[in-house]
Amino acid sequence: QVQQVQTGAEVMKPGSSVKVSCRTSGVTFSGYSVNWFRQAPGQGPEWMGGIIPFLETTQYAQKFQGRVTIAADKSTHTAHMDLVNVTSEDTATYYCARGARDCSLSLCYFYYFGQWGQGTRVTVSS
Amino acid sequence: DIELTQSPLSLSVTPGESASISCRSSQSLVHANGYSYLDWYMQKPGQSPQVLIYLASNRAAGISDRFSGSGSGTSFTLKISRVEAEDVGIYYCMQGLHTPVTFGPGTTVDIK
């Protein structure tokens, strides 16, 4: 059974950093993409970025460029998302999702997010 | 960023009837390979999103054939046939051709 299992809820102080991890089991890790989304209460999902472990290629949404780092550990089938300098606006549920990827030249396209993690609630509060 | 608009934003359906949701993109979602990079997801309260349709018209693994997708370019449709109580949720279209990946505002479907 394919699963994406995320680390547990976090409560952070403004200005600190948060790391959320996502372990893939039951399926090949490297050949697909692992993407990170967040969803604030009452809002739709928002894509933060993605990684293709096999190619060691990452792409980020411009909105998060410089604040988010996505990495993958192929030995443990685990992807990590680090978000620095958090504020109250970063309070949300964070999801990882395994997806398909098509690449041409220097661009990769992420789609068909078939397996999602259970979500990690991140609360930023002083 | 690519803007996706959905209509209607809410839908109340009688069980057994059909429902359609439209999604329009601010730019074409057709790649040179001929595929339109448009997916449909459904999210139930308190749950993670679930993919229904990928590349505009391909049903995801394990998804009922009551769900179908159509369209290309900038105009897409999700059709739900023979609506059931378990179809209640928020439906999002999502594009993956242009970075960043973006979602539509969502259409809330409930049962009459």
Side-chain angles (χ1 to χ4, degrees):
Chain A
Q1 181 184 1
V2 180
Q3 281 191 309
Q4 308 283 126
V5 180
Q6 299 181 218
T7 46
E10 302 271 11
V11 179
M12 318 302 299
K13 297 287 188 187
S16 65
S17 301
V18 63
K19 181 175 185 174
V20 183
S21 299
C22 167
R23 186 174 186 279
T24 299
S25 62
V27 70
T28 302
F29 177 70
S30 294
Y32 291 85
S33 65
V34 178
N35 294 258
W36 288 91
F37 301 82
R38 74 180 188 182
Q39 188 169 29
Q43 303 295 312
E46 180 178 31
W47 183 79
M48 302 177 69
I51 187 168
I52 303 170
F54 175 73
L55 299 176
E56 299 184 349
T57 297
T58 54
Q59 285 181 200
Y60 299 105
Q62 184 74 20
K63 173 178 178 177
F64 299 101
Q65 198 87 30
R67 265 211 319 141
V68 68
T69 301
I70 296 171
D73 183 337
K74 287 178 280 190
S75 67
T76 61
H77 294 189
T78 301
H80 308 280
M81 187 280 298
D82 283 278
L83 185 65
V84 303
N85 195 23
V86 297
T87 71
S88 59
E89 294 188 354
D90 295 314
T91 293
T93 298
Y94 288 74
Y95 295 98
C96 65
R98 189 181 79 113
R101 49 85 177 178
D102 290 337
C103 297
S104 62
L105 301 176
S106 61
L107 276 178
C108 290
Y109 310 98
F110 301 124
Y111 64 104
Y112 192 3
F113 302 116
Q115 284 81 37
W116 293 67
Q118 80 277 22
T120 297
R121 177 73 179 167
V122 173
T123 302
V124 181
S125 174
S126 55
Chain B
D1 297 359
I2 300 301
E3 181 177 1
L4 299 176
T5 56
Q6 292 181 228
S7 62
L9 296 181
S10 65
L11 197 52
S12 188
V13 190
T14 300
E17 293 189 343
S18 296
S20 289
I21 301 170
S22 171
C23 176
R24 294 185 184 275
S25 173
S26 60
Q27 291 185 31
S28 174
L29 301 181
V30 180
H31 187 270
N33 61 18
Y35 291 110
S36 288
Y37 283 73
L38 188 286
D39 297 348
W40 290 94
Y41 294 81
M42 189 262 271
Q43 188 173 29
K44 298 183 179 183
Q47 295 187 17
S48 305
Q50 175 188 23
V51 65
L52 302 172
I53 302 291
Y54 67 97
L55 296 177
S57 60
N58 296 275
R59 199 174 302 114
I63 298 303
S64 167
D65 61 4
R66 296 186 299 104
F67 294 90
S68 62
S70 62
S72 67
T74 62
S75 182
F76 303 89
T77 301
L78 174 72
K79 182 177 180 181
I80 312 171
S81 302
R82 306 182 304 281
V83 169
E84 300 178 359
E86 66 180 24
D87 300 333
V88 167
I90 303 175
Y91 291 75
Y92 298 97
C93 56
M94 183 216 83
Q95 68 81 22
L97 183 63
H98 304 277
T99 299
V101 169
T102 52
F103 289 80
T107 294
T108 300
V109 173
D110 65 28
I111 301 297
K112 284 182 182 175

